[in-house]
Amino acid sequence: MTRHPQTRPVSTVRATLARHAMCLPGDHLLVALSGGADSMALLHILHRLAPELGITLSVAHLNHGIRGEAADRDQLFSQRAAEDLSLACITHTVDVPALARRAGTGLEEAARNARYAFLHEVALSCGARRIAVGHHKGDMAEQLLLNLLRGSGLKGLGAMEPVTADGIIRPLVDLSKDDLAAWLKAEGIGHVTDDSNRDTAYTRNRVRHRLLPMLETEFNPSAVDTLARTAALLREEEDWLREMTESLYTDCRISEEEGHLTLSIPTLSRLHPAAQNRVLRRSVEALCGSTRTLSAAHVQSLSKLLSQGQPGHFVDLSRGLRGILTRGGLHLTTETGSLRHTRPDLLSGVPPFCYTVDRPEPGHPLTLGIEETGDTLTVGWTSAPGTIPSSRNANRVFIDPSAIAFPLTVRNHRPGDRFRPQGGSGSRKIGRFFSDCGVEAAHRSRIPLVLSKNAVIWVAGYRLDGAATPPPPGAPALELVLCRQKKG
């Protein structure tokens, strides 16, 4: 038995709202109204269900400033439609072509961005918890085809979510355009027609007016239903895989901070390629807030870096995002500027290290192995030679015990480090000192710094600080010896 067209859309929307938990009693919904058939059906169906569901409605309409008098007509029509139902209607006009020019995007993208920004602003101002938009089954089919033609993964082939994290709901997703048109006609509800929806200069309109009719005529009369059903199935698959990905992402993540995230190379490398790609996308989402501009090619670049790259290799991705391979992990960073200056430790493949050296016993020097570089540093007591050699480019130095305090710290360079080179005229940034010494940025993080009381006393192998005074000949001295280990 087929329901009467006057009741079927209402009951279908009621079921859709319940199945996806789109609203709760007491909720305030903002209805996005264009004046077109789908949005008018959405408005009137929700208005009819509002007393039963215990919800209140407001209406918003955005004039995109594209179609001149026709756009003004649609704005006035929407205002009157809301007034006829005794609903508040908030309207606004924007110059979308100007926005598109400033942002360097197409009209469609600029209009969509402006529309959702407006709707979220209005929802916030009027206290609406959800924003109802009029996408129906046909829109789902179109979006699946658009994403398929552009090249998309499972998430894109799921088309549009019935409920999004930012509060958008789509109560009409289980109804077709014909269902809505028949209901409006039976109810005597008018609507406006946007002529730009037939302009095949727009990709979506070519899919709507050429590709879908061709599929229905030559392949499957129920193509829209089939595509919409497929999108729904793929969304379910995506939901399950998203849960799996979250667990894998947690396993792979070593550290996460503002603008920087580090992943475990061994854990990532053990994953199936599909799972690995999902973890990489999830990592970018965690770092950047979304993956909107991250393409499949970007993810492939990260995968290739992971499987074929060497420590210090990196790739530049979208929105200033970089992937950098080190011995310590795969790093994702949005830090700006030249990596040679901001993160030389990453380019060299040597992660930050920090060790503590306690006071050695007389006759028992301590040898510290620096795991990250393979170098060793020996610290012990001796008698100062008759002539103290210069510390310039020396791997062995002597320091008066009164000039230091234990424990010593041994670590690599950090941005902002300074010291006063022995024999120099004043304090200098160690990064500048390295530059003057001809040390390549990629190798700077391999060089140990020895600190006493948080002050650098020796840039090992290059120069002592002026405060590290030499001992008198024959007097007790602290001897520091750096032994470099070349690593392939």
Side-chain angles (χ1 to χ4, degrees), residues 135-141 172-176 179 224-225 228:
H135 294 126
H136 50 71
K137 193 182 295 184
D139 295 312
M140 288 293 185
L172 305 183
V173 291
D174 296 317
L175 292 165
S176 70
D179 291 331
V224 168
D225 287 342

Side-chain angles (χ1 to χ4, degrees), residues 146-165:
L146 282 166
N147 291 346
L148 177 64
L149 293 170
R150 290 167 182 156
S152 177
L154 199 58
K155 183 176 181 181
L157 297 181
M160 295 176 280
E161 295 281 352
V163 180
T164 69

Side-chain angles (χ1 to χ4, degrees), residues 426-468:
S427 175
R428 301 175 67 187
K429 286 187 176 181
I430 290 179
R432 172 66 67 180
F433 173 77
F434 283 147
S435 179
D436 292 344
C437 291
V439 181
E440 293 184 11
H443 298 305
R444 295 176 186 178
S445 63
R446 298 185 60 87
I447 299 170
L449 306 182
V450 181
L451 291 81
S452 172
K453 294 186 289 188
N454 296 319
V456 176
I457 60 170
W458 187 31
V459 179
Y462 287 88
R463 198 80 58 84
L464 282 169
D465 183 84

Side-chain angles (χ1 to χ4, degrees), residues 317-330:
L317 305 168
S318 64
R319 295 192 300 180
L321 177 68
R322 287 163 167 162
I324 311 164
L325 194 69
T326 75
R327 290 183 177 85
L330 176 65

Side-chain angles (χ1 to χ4, degrees), residues 63-343:
N63 183 332
H64 296 95
I66 296 175
R67 298 181 296 115
E69 292 182 0
D72 296 337
R73 175 208 63 186
D74 295 353
Q75 182 174 343
L76 182 59
F77 179 89
S78 297
Q79 287 176 305
R80 289 175 175 171
E83 290 171 2
D84 289 343
L85 298 176
S86 300
L87 297 174
C89 182
I90 299 93
T91 65
H92 183 59
T93 300
V94 295
D95 187 348
V96 166
L99 292 177
R101 287 192 297 273
R102 286 199 294 269
T105 62
L107 276 179
E108 286 180 283
E109 182 176 354
R112 180 177 60 250
N113 292 341
R115 182 166 60 253
Y116 282 109
F118 165 69
L119 291 172
H120 283 293
E121 182 179 339
V122 173
L124 186 63
S125 67
C126 71
R129 191 174 77 92
R130 295 283 174 89
I131 300 168
V133 296
H135 294 126
H136 50 71
K137 193 182 295 184
D139 295 312
M140 288 293 185
E142 291 168 12
Q143 193 63 48
L144 185 155
L145 289 172
L146 282 166
N147 291 346
L148 177 64
L149 293 170
R150 290 167 182 156
S152 177
L154 199 58
K155 183 176 181 181
L157 297 181
M160 295 176 280
E161 295 281 352
V163 180
T164 69
D166 60 352
I168 301 295
I169 62 173
R170 297 182 167 95
L172 305 183
V173 291
D174 296 317
L175 292 165
S176 70
K177 178 176 62 177
D178 291 342
D179 291 331
L180 299 174
W183 186 80
L184 288 173
K185 183 177 180 180
E187 295 291 323
I189 298 171
H191 61 87
V192 293
T193 301
D194 182 349
D195 290 337
S196 69
N197 286 333
R198 305 200 67 83
D199 185 354
T200 54
Y202 298 109
T203 305
R204 179 177 291 277
N205 288 345
R206 290 199 298 277
V207 169
R208 178 177 301 166
H209 299 300
R210 293 180 184 173
L211 181 55
L212 269 175
M214 184 268 290
L215 293 175
E216 290 173 325
T217 301
E218 300 187 20
F219 295 94
N220 182 354
S222 302
V224 168
D225 287 342
T226 300
L227 290 168
R229 186 168 59 252
T230 299
L233 290 171
L234 294 177
R235 285 196 300 273
E236 289 182 358
E237 298 280 348
E238 174 64 24
D239 287 343
W240 175 67
L241 287 170
R242 188 182 298 123
E243 292 180 8
M244 300 290 289
T245 300
E246 196 64 30
S247 175
L248 294 174
Y249 166 68
T250 301
D251 292 341
C252 291
R253 184 183 57 202
I254 295 175
S255 64
E256 183 177 352
E257 58 190 80
E258 184 70 25
H260 198 93
L261 188 148
T262 308
L263 300 171
S264 165
I265 295 173
T267 309
L268 262 178
S269 298
R270 285 194 295 267
L271 297 179
H272 185 282
Q276 187 182 101
N277 289 346
R278 281 183 163 271
V279 170
L280 291 173
R281 293 186 69 86
R282 175 64 182 89
S283 302
V284 171
E285 181 182 36
L287 191 62
C288 302
S290 78
T291 57
R292 185 172 179 81
T293 63
L294 189 75
S295 69
H298 291 140
V299 177
Q300 288 171 3
S301 295
L302 281 174
S303 297
K304 185 175 180 181
L305 177 68
L306 183 66
S307 62
Q308 301 178 22
Q310 297 296 319
H313 289 182
F314 66 94
V315 293
D316 284 322
L317 305 168
S318 64
R319 295 192 300 180
L321 177 68
R322 287 163 167 162
I324 311 164
L325 194 69
T326 75
R327 290 183 177 85
L330 176 65
H331 300 256
L332 298 175
T333 179
T334 56
E335 294 173 350
T336 58
S338 169
L339 288 175
R340 294 187 179 279
H341 298 296
T342 60
R343 297 303 295 262

